Amino acid sequence: MTSVPEEVPCLLMRGGTSKGAYFLADDLPADPAARAELLLRIMGSPDERQIDGLGGAHPLTSKVAVVSPSSRPEADVDYLFLQVVVDRPEVSDRQNCGNILAGVGPFAVERGLVPAGEESTSVRIHMVNSGDLATATFRTPGGRVDYTGDARIAGVPGTAAPVVIEFPAGAGTLLPTGKVRDTIGGVPVTCVDNGMPVVLVAAADLKVTGYETPKDLEEDLALADRLREIRLEAGRLMGLGDVSDTTVPKLTLLAAPREGGAICTRTFIPVRCHTSIGVLGAAGVAAGLRIEGGVGAGLAELTPGSDRTRIEHPTGFLDIDSSLGTGPDGLPSARRTAVVRTARKIFDGTVFPRAAALPQGGHR
């Protein structure tokens, strides 16, 4: 059995509507299997309560960021996102997380990886999971990260300093299947990837309204079966292979907006219904709504002449700036994507991994 460190430096942060443990790569084992074993112990998995670790008994609060200086000239730091499964001994690197991304820039300054500006700092981030790039800009008056401010995001109580995250044009292939629409199990879908693989489905095509609570949707076993069928086939069509043991692609149900936004959403990760929506998932939705002929085109209420897309979700809304162009293949491509998030440092110190042996799990 791999020797487990007695203590590990850790910074616990809220990033957007998620919460995660942030680590310097040098403070964790380089071997993925050893790293996974250690993170399971730190987060308290597998246990549905994660009572003996940092995890919060939900996928949104069982996340890890591993950050290091980047060797890429166009980036300042590398950010590896790891999803620690709550009730199984698994650690997955198969997806990005745009909420945890919101804390990466401040963390890089806190740990001295990037020097702080006198008023604000921009950190260029290489997202290792997908190879994509993002730039996070945030306030650093006097050379220190300021987490206080008046920016408010749905799903988080109170206010905090804004973190503006911008994604470069043309990151990835927006339509990985090469089609504006595909049909899976008789259901029209639009498969998009604007930083994260997402499958867009009209809620009505699955015999639900799209306005149900996450709890009600999770308890609909017939819906769960249909979603599983769609996700597995969509994963194959999107070039992801067998996705039965992964959390991507995300499935987002679409319905006409009810609260003044552009669209109403319910997102699954992969069977739990998100209480809000992830940043990169929302980026996919925002871009997908602008694709002529896509499944969301007839449902969305977009503001003419504006790039701003307000996406309604179960606990509020998320605003995304999104615009499209045309790729060399003649298909729509992402031109600009930007979002305002917030982050907060919760504690900075040392975590003591669970010492008892856990069931054998692994890194995916």
Side-chain angles (χ1 to χ4, degrees), residues 311-349:
I311 297 173
E312 299 174 7
H313 56 68
T315 53
F317 63 87
L318 189 154
D319 287 334
I320 293 276
D321 285 352
S322 178
S323 62
L324 302 184
T326 302
D329 55 3
L331 293 172
S333 64
R335 185 167 59 193
R336 178 178 182 269
T337 304
V339 62
V340 175
R341 295 273 83 188
T342 66
R344 188 175 82 82
K345 178 170 63 172
I346 297 173
F347 82 70
D348 188 357

PDB file of all heavy atoms in Angstrom, residues 311-349:
ATOM      1  N   ILE A 311     -29.363  32.503 -18.060  1.00  0.00           N
ATOM      2  CA  ILE A 311     -29.809  31.114 -17.982  1.00  0.00           C
ATOM      3  C   ILE A 311     -30.450  30.880 -16.622  1.00  0.00           C
ATOM      4  O   ILE A 311     -29.798  30.980 -15.579  1.00  0.00           O
ATOM      5  CB  ILE A 311     -28.619  30.166 -18.204  1.00  0.00           C
ATOM      6  CG1 ILE A 311     -28.055  30.382 -19.620  1.00  0.00           C
ATOM      7  CG2 ILE A 311     -29.046  28.710 -18.015  1.00  0.00           C
ATOM      8  CD1 ILE A 311     -26.788  29.625 -19.890  1.00  0.00           C
ATOM      9  N   GLU A 312     -31.732  30.590 -16.635  1.00  0.00           N
ATOM     10  CA  GLU A 312     -32.446  30.283 -15.399  1.00  0.00           C
ATOM     11  C   GLU A 312     -32.142  28.853 -14.968  1.00  0.00           C
ATOM     12  O   GLU A 312     -32.009  27.943 -15.796  1.00  0.00           O
ATOM     13  CB  GLU A 312     -33.952  30.443 -15.612  1.00  0.00           C
ATOM     14  CG  GLU A 312     -34.373  31.852 -15.998  1.00  0.00           C
ATOM     15  CD  GLU A 312     -35.851  31.953 -16.347  1.00  0.00           C
ATOM     16  OE1 GLU A 312     -36.578  30.941 -16.152  1.00  0.00           O
ATOM     17  OE2 GLU A 312     -36.289  33.019 -16.816  1.00  0.00           O
ATOM     18  N   HIS A 313     -31.999  28.669 -13.648  1.00  0.00           N
ATOM     19  CA  HIS A 313     -31.773  27.332 -13.093  1.00  0.00           C
ATOM     20  C   HIS A 313     -32.553  27.226 -11.784  1.00  0.00           C
ATOM     21  O   HIS A 313     -33.223  28.185 -11.383  1.00  0.00           O
ATOM     22  CB  HIS A 313     -30.273  27.062 -12.920  1.00  0.00           C
ATOM     23  CG  HIS A 313     -29.538  28.059 -12.086  1.00  0.00           C
ATOM     24  ND1 HIS A 313     -29.747  28.188 -10.732  1.00  0.00           N
ATOM     25  CD2 HIS A 313     -28.600  28.988 -12.412  1.00  0.00           C
ATOM     26  CE1 HIS A 313     -28.961  29.132 -10.249  1.00  0.00           C
ATOM     27  NE2 HIS A 313     -28.258  29.648 -11.236  1.00  0.00           N
ATOM     28  N   PRO A 314     -32.533  26.083 -11.098  1.00  0.00           N
ATOM     29  CA  PRO A 314     -33.434  25.895  -9.956  1.00  0.00           C
ATOM     30  C   PRO A 314     -33.284  26.903  -8.822  1.00  0.00           C
ATOM     31  O   PRO A 314     -34.235  27.107  -8.065  1.00  0.00           O
ATOM     32  CB  PRO A 314     -33.101  24.476  -9.477  1.00  0.00           C
ATOM     33  CG  PRO A 314     -32.630  23.772 -10.701  1.00  0.00           C
ATOM     34  CD  PRO A 314     -31.879  24.806 -11.478  1.00  0.00           C
ATOM     35  N   THR A 315     -32.119  27.524  -8.672  1.00  0.00           N
ATOM     36  CA  THR A 315     -31.935  28.455  -7.559  1.00  0.00           C
ATOM     37  C   THR A 315     -31.653  29.876  -8.019  1.00  0.00           C
ATOM     38  O   THR A 315     -31.165  30.692  -7.239  1.00  0.00           O
ATOM     39  CB  THR A 315     -30.804  27.974  -6.634  1.00  0.00           C
ATOM     40  OG1 THR A 315     -29.621  27.730  -7.417  1.00  0.00           O
ATOM     41  CG2 THR A 315     -31.192  26.699  -5.900  1.00  0.00           C
ATOM     42  N   GLY A 316     -31.937  30.189  -9.265  1.00  0.00           N
ATOM     43  CA  GLY A 316     -31.733  31.555  -9.723  1.00  0.00           C
ATOM     44  C   GLY A 316     -31.356  31.625 -11.187  1.00  0.00           C
ATOM     45  O   GLY A 316     -32.022  31.047 -12.043  1.00  0.00           O
ATOM     46  N   PHE A 317     -30.234  32.297 -11.463  1.00  0.00           N
ATOM     47  CA  PHE A 317     -29.821  32.473 -12.852  1.00  0.00           C
ATOM     48  C   PHE A 317     -28.312  32.629 -12.926  1.00  0.00           C
ATOM     49  O   PHE A 317     -27.637  32.878 -11.923  1.00  0.00           O
ATOM     50  CB  PHE A 317     -30.497  33.710 -13.465  1.00  0.00           C
ATOM     51  CG  PHE A 317     -30.110  34.989 -12.789  1.00  0.00           C
ATOM     52  CD1 PHE A 317     -28.975  35.693 -13.185  1.00  0.00           C
ATOM     53  CD2 PHE A 317     -30.879  35.513 -11.758  1.00  0.00           C
ATOM     54  CE1 PHE A 317     -28.608  36.872 -12.557  1.00  0.00           C
ATOM     55  CE2 PHE A 317     -30.522  36.693 -11.133  1.00  0.00           C
ATOM     56  CZ  PHE A 317     -29.381  37.363 -11.529  1.00  0.00           C
ATOM     57  N   LEU A 318     -27.789  32.490 -14.143  1.00  0.00           N
ATOM     58  CA  LEU A 318     -26.378  32.726 -14.424  1.00  0.00           C
ATOM     59  C   LEU A 318     -26.293  33.454 -15.754  1.00  0.00           C
ATOM     60  O   LEU A 318     -26.931  33.041 -16.729  1.00  0.00           O
ATOM     61  CB  LEU A 318     -25.606  31.405 -14.474  1.00  0.00           C
ATOM     62  CG  LEU A 318     -24.079  31.485 -14.550  1.00  0.00           C
ATOM     63  CD1 LEU A 318     -23.449  30.223 -13.955  1.00  0.00           C
ATOM     64  CD2 LEU A 318     -23.587  31.644 -15.987  1.00  0.00           C
ATOM     65  N   ASP A 319     -25.533  34.551 -15.784  1.00  0.00           N
ATOM     66  CA  ASP A 319     -25.368  35.335 -17.004  1.00  0.00           C
ATOM     67  C   ASP A 319     -24.080  34.932 -17.714  1.00  0.00           C
ATOM     68  O   ASP A 319     -23.007  34.892 -17.103  1.00  0.00           O
ATOM     69  CB  ASP A 319     -25.310  36.834 -16.685  1.00  0.00           C
ATOM     70  CG  ASP A 319     -26.666  37.392 -16.299  1.00  0.00           C
ATOM     71  OD1 ASP A 319     -27.685  36.815 -16.721  1.00  0.00           O
ATOM     72  OD2 ASP A 319     -26.702  38.408 -15.575  1.00  0.00           O
ATOM     73  N   ILE A 320     -24.192  34.654 -18.999  1.00  0.00           N
ATOM     74  CA  ILE A 320     -23.055  34.305 -19.847  1.00  0.00           C
ATOM     75  C   ILE A 320     -23.041  35.229 -21.048  1.00  0.00           C
ATOM     76  O   ILE A 320     -24.083  35.448 -21.683  1.00  0.00           O
ATOM     77  CB  ILE A 320     -23.162  32.844 -20.344  1.00  0.00           C
ATOM     78  CG1 ILE A 320     -23.017  31.851 -19.188  1.00  0.00           C
ATOM     79  CG2 ILE A 320     -22.125  32.555 -21.425  1.00  0.00           C
ATOM     80  CD1 ILE A 320     -21.598  31.510 -18.816  1.00  0.00           C
ATOM     81  N   ASP A 321     -21.881  35.784 -21.386  1.00  0.00           N
ATOM     82  CA  ASP A 321     -21.710  36.499 -22.645  1.00  0.00           C
ATOM     83  C   ASP A 321     -21.216  35.494 -23.678  1.00  0.00           C
ATOM     84  O   ASP A 321     -20.177  34.844 -23.470  1.00  0.00           O
ATOM     85  CB  ASP A 321     -20.697  37.632 -22.504  1.00  0.00           C
ATOM     86  CG  ASP A 321     -21.269  38.823 -21.747  1.00  0.00           C
ATOM     87  OD1 ASP A 321     -22.482  38.822 -21.472  1.00  0.00           O
ATOM     88  OD2 ASP A 321     -20.490  39.737 -21.427  1.00  0.00           O
ATOM     89  N   SER A 322     -21.936  35.352 -24.768  1.00  0.00           N
ATOM     90  CA  SER A 322     -21.596  34.343 -25.759  1.00  0.00           C
ATOM     91  C   SER A 322     -21.884  34.854 -27.157  1.00  0.00           C
ATOM     92  O   SER A 322     -22.930  35.460 -27.400  1.00  0.00           O
ATOM     93  CB  SER A 322     -22.404  33.060 -25.498  1.00  0.00           C
ATOM     94  OG  SER A 322     -22.128  32.070 -26.469  1.00  0.00           O
ATOM     95  N   SER A 323     -20.945  34.658 -28.064  1.00  0.00           N
ATOM     96  CA  SER A 323     -21.173  34.987 -29.465  1.00  0.00           C
ATOM     97  C   SER A 323     -20.543  33.909 -30.331  1.00  0.00           C
ATOM     98  O   SER A 323     -19.577  33.247 -29.929  1.00  0.00           O
ATOM     99  CB  SER A 323     -20.590  36.359 -29.812  1.00  0.00           C
ATOM    100  OG  SER A 323     -19.181  36.373 -29.624  1.00  0.00           O
ATOM    101  N   LEU A 324     -21.112  33.713 -31.507  1.00  0.00           N
ATOM    102  CA  LEU A 324     -20.668  32.658 -32.408  1.00  0.00           C
ATOM    103  C   LEU A 324     -20.123  33.235 -33.702  1.00  0.00           C
ATOM    104  O   LEU A 324     -20.479  34.347 -34.102  1.00  0.00           O
ATOM    105  CB  LEU A 324     -21.822  31.696 -32.741  1.00  0.00           C
ATOM    106  CG  LEU A 324     -22.525  30.989 -31.586  1.00  0.00           C
ATOM    107  CD1 LEU A 324     -23.555  30.011 -32.137  1.00  0.00           C
ATOM    108  CD2 LEU A 324     -21.535  30.286 -30.683  1.00  0.00           C
ATOM    109  N   GLY A 325     -19.262  32.456 -34.333  1.00  0.00           N
ATOM    110  CA  GLY A 325     -18.783  32.744 -35.670  1.00  0.00           C
ATOM    111  C   GLY A 325     -18.970  31.507 -36.521  1.00  0.00           C
ATOM    112  O   GLY A 325     -19.732  30.603 -36.161  1.00  0.00           O
ATOM    113  N   THR A 326     -18.246  31.442 -37.610  1.00  0.00           N
ATOM    114  CA  THR A 326     -18.310  30.278 -38.502  1.00  0.00           C
ATOM    115  C   THR A 326     -16.928  29.678 -38.620  1.00  0.00           C
ATOM    116  O   THR A 326     -15.955  30.392 -38.916  1.00  0.00           O
ATOM    117  CB  THR A 326     -18.832  30.668 -39.891  1.00  0.00           C
ATOM    118  OG1 THR A 326     -20.133  31.258 -39.746  1.00  0.00           O
ATOM    119  CG2 THR A 326     -18.939  29.441 -40.785  1.00  0.00           C
ATOM    120  N   GLY A 327     -16.824  28.381 -38.359  1.00  0.00           N
ATOM    121  CA  GLY A 327     -15.549  27.692 -38.432  1.00  0.00           C
ATOM    122  C   GLY A 327     -15.158  27.365 -39.855  1.00  0.00           C
ATOM    123  O   GLY A 327     -15.944  27.544 -40.799  1.00  0.00           O
ATOM    124  N   PRO A 328     -13.928  26.863 -40.063  1.00  0.00           N
ATOM    125  CA  PRO A 328     -13.465  26.521 -41.415  1.00  0.00           C
ATOM    126  C   PRO A 328     -14.295  25.427 -42.078  1.00  0.00           C
ATOM    127  O   PRO A 328     -14.302  25.290 -43.303  1.00  0.00           O
ATOM    128  CB  PRO A 328     -12.012  26.074 -41.194  1.00  0.00           C
ATOM    129  CG  PRO A 328     -11.926  25.746 -39.733  1.00  0.00           C
ATOM    130  CD  PRO A 328     -12.898  26.632 -39.047  1.00  0.00           C
ATOM    131  N   ASP A 329     -15.015  24.644 -41.257  1.00  0.00           N
ATOM    132  CA  ASP A 329     -15.864  23.597 -41.814  1.00  0.00           C
ATOM    133  C   ASP A 329     -17.264  24.101 -42.151  1.00  0.00           C
ATOM    134  O   ASP A 329     -18.128  23.327 -42.576  1.00  0.00           O
ATOM    135  CB  ASP A 329     -15.966  22.419 -40.839  1.00  0.00           C
ATOM    136  CG  ASP A 329     -16.449  22.847 -39.451  1.00  0.00           C
ATOM    137  OD1 ASP A 329     -16.760  24.043 -39.262  1.00  0.00           O
ATOM    138  OD2 ASP A 329     -16.492  21.983 -38.554  1.00  0.00           O
ATOM    139  N   GLY A 330     -17.480  25.397 -41.955  1.00  0.00           N
ATOM    140  CA  GLY A 330     -18.781  25.968 -42.252  1.00  0.00           C
ATOM    141  C   GLY A 330     -19.786  25.841 -41.126  1.00  0.00           C
ATOM    142  O   GLY A 330     -20.899  26.361 -41.222  1.00  0.00           O
ATOM    143  N   LEU A 331     -19.409  25.172 -40.046  1.00  0.00           N
ATOM    144  CA  LEU A 331     -20.297  24.993 -38.908  1.00  0.00           C
ATOM    145  C   LEU A 331     -20.098  26.121 -37.898  1.00  0.00           C
ATOM    146  O   LEU A 331     -19.036  26.763 -37.878  1.00  0.00           O
ATOM    147  CB  LEU A 331     -20.026  23.649 -38.233  1.00  0.00           C
ATOM    148  CG  LEU A 331     -20.375  22.389 -39.038  1.00  0.00           C
ATOM    149  CD1 LEU A 331     -19.867  21.140 -38.326  1.00  0.00           C
ATOM    150  CD2 LEU A 331     -21.886  22.313 -39.269  1.00  0.00           C
ATOM    151  N   PRO A 332     -21.087  26.373 -37.048  1.00  0.00           N
ATOM    152  CA  PRO A 332     -20.918  27.408 -36.029  1.00  0.00           C
ATOM    153  C   PRO A 332     -19.743  27.095 -35.107  1.00  0.00           C
ATOM    154  O   PRO A 332     -19.469  25.931 -34.799  1.00  0.00           O
ATOM    155  CB  PRO A 332     -22.241  27.362 -35.255  1.00  0.00           C
ATOM    156  CG  PRO A 332     -23.212  26.725 -36.186  1.00  0.00           C
ATOM    157  CD  PRO A 332     -22.420  25.747 -36.999  1.00  0.00           C
ATOM    158  N   SER A 333     -19.050  28.148 -34.672  1.00  0.00           N
ATOM    159  CA  SER A 333     -17.945  27.996 -33.724  1.00  0.00           C
ATOM    160  C   SER A 333     -18.053  29.092 -32.680  1.00  0.00           C
ATOM    161  O   SER A 333     -18.616  30.164 -32.936  1.00  0.00           O
ATOM    162  CB  SER A 333     -16.590  28.072 -34.429  1.00  0.00           C
ATOM    163  OG  SER A 333     -16.410  29.360 -35.007  1.00  0.00           O
ATOM    164  N   ALA A 334     -17.525  28.810 -31.491  1.00  0.00           N
ATOM    165  CA  ALA A 334     -17.561  29.806 -30.418  1.00  0.00           C
ATOM    166  C   ALA A 334     -16.583  30.929 -30.736  1.00  0.00           C
ATOM    167  O   ALA A 334     -15.432  30.680 -31.092  1.00  0.00           O
ATOM    168  CB  ALA A 334     -17.210  29.156 -29.094  1.00  0.00           C
ATOM    169  N   ARG A 335     -17.032  32.186 -30.614  1.00  0.00           N
ATOM    170  CA  ARG A 335     -16.163  33.337 -30.868  1.00  0.00           C
ATOM    171  C   ARG A 335     -15.731  33.975 -29.547  1.00  0.00           C
ATOM    172  O   ARG A 335     -14.566  34.300 -29.354  1.00  0.00           O
ATOM    173  CB  ARG A 335     -16.896  34.352 -31.739  1.00  0.00           C
ATOM    174  CG  ARG A 335     -16.031  35.533 -32.156  1.00  0.00           C
ATOM    175  CD  ARG A 335     -16.718  36.326 -33.255  1.00  0.00           C
ATOM    176  NE  ARG A 335     -18.027  36.827 -32.834  1.00  0.00           N
ATOM    177  CZ  ARG A 335     -18.931  37.329 -33.664  1.00  0.00           C
ATOM    178  NH1 ARG A 335     -18.678  37.352 -34.967  1.00  0.00           N
ATOM    179  NH2 ARG A 335     -20.082  37.782 -33.199  1.00  0.00           N
ATOM    180  N   ARG A 336     -16.686  34.164 -28.628  1.00  0.00           N
ATOM    181  CA  ARG A 336     -16.350  34.745 -27.330  1.00  0.00           C
ATOM    182  C   ARG A 336     -17.268  34.176 -26.267  1.00  0.00           C
ATOM    183  O   ARG A 336     -18.476  34.034 -26.479  1.00  0.00           O
ATOM    184  CB  ARG A 336     -16.494  36.267 -27.345  1.00  0.00           C
ATOM    185  CG  ARG A 336     -16.203  36.922 -25.989  1.00  0.00           C
ATOM    186  CD  ARG A 336     -16.301  38.431 -26.061  1.00  0.00           C
ATOM    187  NE  ARG A 336     -15.979  39.031 -24.769  1.00  0.00           N
ATOM    188  CZ  ARG A 336     -16.880  39.298 -23.826  1.00  0.00           C
ATOM    189  NH1 ARG A 336     -18.175  39.030 -24.049  1.00  0.00           N
ATOM    190  NH2 ARG A 336     -16.525  39.832 -22.667  1.00  0.00           N
ATOM    191  N   THR A 337     -16.675  33.851 -25.130  1.00  0.00           N
ATOM    192  CA  THR A 337     -17.446  33.390 -23.979  1.00  0.00           C
ATOM    193  C   THR A 337     -16.834  34.018 -22.733  1.00  0.00           C
ATOM    194  O   THR A 337     -15.622  33.932 -22.524  1.00  0.00           O
ATOM    195  CB  THR A 337     -17.415  31.860 -23.840  1.00  0.00           C
ATOM    196  OG1 THR A 337     -17.892  31.264 -25.046  1.00  0.00           O
ATOM    197  CG2 THR A 337     -18.287  31.402 -22.679  1.00  0.00           C
ATOM    198  N   ALA A 338     -17.664  34.658 -21.913  1.00  0.00           N
ATOM    199  CA  ALA A 338     -17.174  35.265 -20.676  1.00  0.00           C
ATOM    200  C   ALA A 338     -18.260  35.183 -19.615  1.00  0.00           C
ATOM    201  O   ALA A 338     -19.457  35.184 -19.928  1.00  0.00           O
ATOM    202  CB  ALA A 338     -16.766  36.720 -20.898  1.00  0.00           C
ATOM    203  N   VAL A 339     -17.824  35.099 -18.362  1.00  0.00           N
ATOM    204  CA  VAL A 339     -18.773  34.975 -17.260  1.00  0.00           C
ATOM    205  C   VAL A 339     -18.188  35.652 -16.025  1.00  0.00           C
ATOM    206  O   VAL A 339     -16.961  35.697 -15.854  1.00  0.00           O
ATOM    207  CB  VAL A 339     -19.081  33.486 -16.967  1.00  0.00           C
ATOM    208  CG1 VAL A 339     -17.822  32.747 -16.533  1.00  0.00           C
ATOM    209  CG2 VAL A 339     -20.187  33.340 -15.932  1.00  0.00           C
ATOM    210  N   VAL A 340     -19.058  36.191 -15.187  1.00  0.00           N
ATOM    211  CA  VAL A 340     -18.635  36.748 -13.905  1.00  0.00           C
ATOM    212  C   VAL A 340     -18.987  35.746 -12.812  1.00  0.00           C
ATOM    213  O   VAL A 340     -20.134  35.334 -12.681  1.00  0.00           O
ATOM    214  CB  VAL A 340     -19.324  38.099 -13.610  1.00  0.00           C
ATOM    215  CG1 VAL A 340     -18.949  38.583 -12.206  1.00  0.00           C
ATOM    216  CG2 VAL A 340     -18.919  39.132 -14.643  1.00  0.00           C
ATOM    217  N   ARG A 341     -17.971  35.348 -12.056  1.00  0.00           N
ATOM    218  CA  ARG A 341     -18.144  34.445 -10.920  1.00  0.00           C
ATOM    219  C   ARG A 341     -17.579  35.128  -9.672  1.00  0.00           C
ATOM    220  O   ARG A 341     -16.979  36.206  -9.745  1.00  0.00           O
ATOM    221  CB  ARG A 341     -17.408  33.112 -11.135  1.00  0.00           C
ATOM    222  CG  ARG A 341     -17.926  32.285 -12.272  1.00  0.00           C
ATOM    223  CD  ARG A 341     -19.095  31.376 -11.821  1.00  0.00           C
ATOM    224  NE  ARG A 341     -20.372  32.085 -11.822  1.00  0.00           N
ATOM    225  CZ  ARG A 341     -21.483  31.570 -11.332  1.00  0.00           C
ATOM    226  NH1 ARG A 341     -21.465  30.375 -10.753  1.00  0.00           N
ATOM    227  NH2 ARG A 341     -22.596  32.254 -11.384  1.00  0.00           N
ATOM    228  N   THR A 342     -17.703  34.510  -8.552  1.00  0.00           N
ATOM    229  CA  THR A 342     -17.031  34.963  -7.337  1.00  0.00           C
ATOM    230  C   THR A 342     -16.346  33.771  -6.685  1.00  0.00           C
ATOM    231  O   THR A 342     -16.656  32.614  -6.991  1.00  0.00           O
ATOM    232  CB  THR A 342     -18.016  35.602  -6.329  1.00  0.00           C
ATOM    233  OG1 THR A 342     -18.924  34.596  -5.856  1.00  0.00           O
ATOM    234  CG2 THR A 342     -18.789  36.743  -6.962  1.00  0.00           C
ATOM    235  N   ALA A 343     -15.413  34.060  -5.800  1.00  0.00           N
ATOM    236  CA  ALA A 343     -14.709  33.013  -5.058  1.00  0.00           C
ATOM    237  C   ALA A 343     -14.417  33.539  -3.660  1.00  0.00           C
ATOM    238  O   ALA A 343     -14.362  34.755  -3.440  1.00  0.00           O
ATOM    239  CB  ALA A 343     -13.410  32.615  -5.762  1.00  0.00           C
ATOM    240  N   ARG A 344     -14.222  32.611  -2.733  1.00  0.00           N
ATOM    241  CA  ARG A 344     -13.898  33.031  -1.373  1.00  0.00           C
ATOM    242  C   ARG A 344     -12.968  32.026  -0.719  1.00  0.00           C
ATOM    243  O   ARG A 344     -13.197  30.818  -0.804  1.00  0.00           O
ATOM    244  CB  ARG A 344     -15.161  33.168  -0.516  1.00  0.00           C
ATOM    245  CG  ARG A 344     -14.875  33.800   0.845  1.00  0.00           C
ATOM    246  CD  ARG A 344     -16.148  34.037   1.633  1.00  0.00           C
ATOM    247  NE  ARG A 344     -16.612  32.848   2.327  1.00  0.00           N
ATOM    248  CZ  ARG A 344     -16.164  32.420   3.498  1.00  0.00           C
ATOM    249  NH1 ARG A 344     -15.179  33.068   4.106  1.00  0.00           N
ATOM    250  NH2 ARG A 344     -16.673  31.357   4.074  1.00  0.00           N
ATOM    251  N   LYS A 345     -11.934  32.531  -0.083  1.00  0.00           N
ATOM    252  CA  LYS A 345     -11.038  31.685   0.707  1.00  0.00           C
ATOM    253  C   LYS A 345     -11.730  31.349   2.018  1.00  0.00           C
ATOM    254  O   LYS A 345     -12.128  32.234   2.776  1.00  0.00           O
ATOM    255  CB  LYS A 345      -9.718  32.429   0.962  1.00  0.00           C
ATOM    256  CG  LYS A 345      -8.734  31.655   1.808  1.00  0.00           C
ATOM    257  CD  LYS A 345      -7.369  32.325   1.833  1.00  0.00           C
ATOM    258  CE  LYS A 345      -7.417  33.695   2.474  1.00  0.00           C
ATOM    259  NZ  LYS A 345      -6.068  34.272   2.663  1.00  0.00           N
ATOM    260  N   ILE A 346     -11.881  30.054   2.297  1.00  0.00           N
ATOM    261  CA  ILE A 346     -12.569  29.611   3.512  1.00  0.00           C
ATOM    262  C   ILE A 346     -11.567  29.285   4.610  1.00  0.00           C
ATOM    263  O   ILE A 346     -11.683  29.753   5.731  1.00  0.00           O
ATOM    264  CB  ILE A 346     -13.476  28.402   3.213  1.00  0.00           C
ATOM    265  CG1 ILE A 346     -14.571  28.827   2.216  1.00  0.00           C
ATOM    266  CG2 ILE A 346     -14.109  27.863   4.499  1.00  0.00           C
ATOM    267  CD1 ILE A 346     -15.423  27.689   1.727  1.00  0.00           C
ATOM    268  N   PHE A 347     -10.581  28.446   4.314  1.00  0.00           N
ATOM    269  CA  PHE A 347      -9.485  28.264   5.266  1.00  0.00           C
ATOM    270  C   PHE A 347      -8.222  27.898   4.531  1.00  0.00           C
ATOM    271  O   PHE A 347      -8.251  27.302   3.459  1.00  0.00           O
ATOM    272  CB  PHE A 347      -9.814  27.236   6.358  1.00  0.00           C
ATOM    273  CG  PHE A 347      -9.609  25.792   5.964  1.00  0.00           C
ATOM    274  CD1 PHE A 347      -8.342  25.252   5.776  1.00  0.00           C
ATOM    275  CD2 PHE A 347     -10.692  24.928   5.832  1.00  0.00           C
ATOM    276  CE1 PHE A 347      -8.142  23.929   5.438  1.00  0.00           C
ATOM    277  CE2 PHE A 347     -10.508  23.598   5.495  1.00  0.00           C
ATOM    278  CZ  PHE A 347      -9.231  23.093   5.293  1.00  0.00           C
ATOM    279  N   ASP A 348      -7.110  28.259   5.098  1.00  0.00           N
ATOM    280  CA  ASP A 348      -5.793  27.963   4.550  1.00  0.00           C
ATOM    281  C   ASP A 348      -4.992  27.306   5.667  1.00  0.00           C
ATOM    282  O   ASP A 348      -4.779  27.919   6.715  1.00  0.00           O
ATOM    283  CB  ASP A 348      -5.114  29.248   4.079  1.00  0.00           C
ATOM    284  CG  ASP A 348      -3.819  28.984   3.327  1.00  0.00           C
ATOM    285  OD1 ASP A 348      -3.416  27.809   3.210  1.00  0.00           O
ATOM    286  OD2 ASP A 348      -3.222  29.968   2.831  1.00  0.00           O
ATOM    287  N   GLY A 349      -4.603  26.061   5.452  1.00  0.00           N
ATOM    288  CA  GLY A 349      -3.880  25.369   6.516  1.00  0.00           C
ATOM    289  C   GLY A 349      -3.428  23.991   6.105  1.00  0.00           C
ATOM    290  O   GLY A 349      -2.973  23.780   4.973  1.00  0.00           O
TER     291      GLY A 349
END
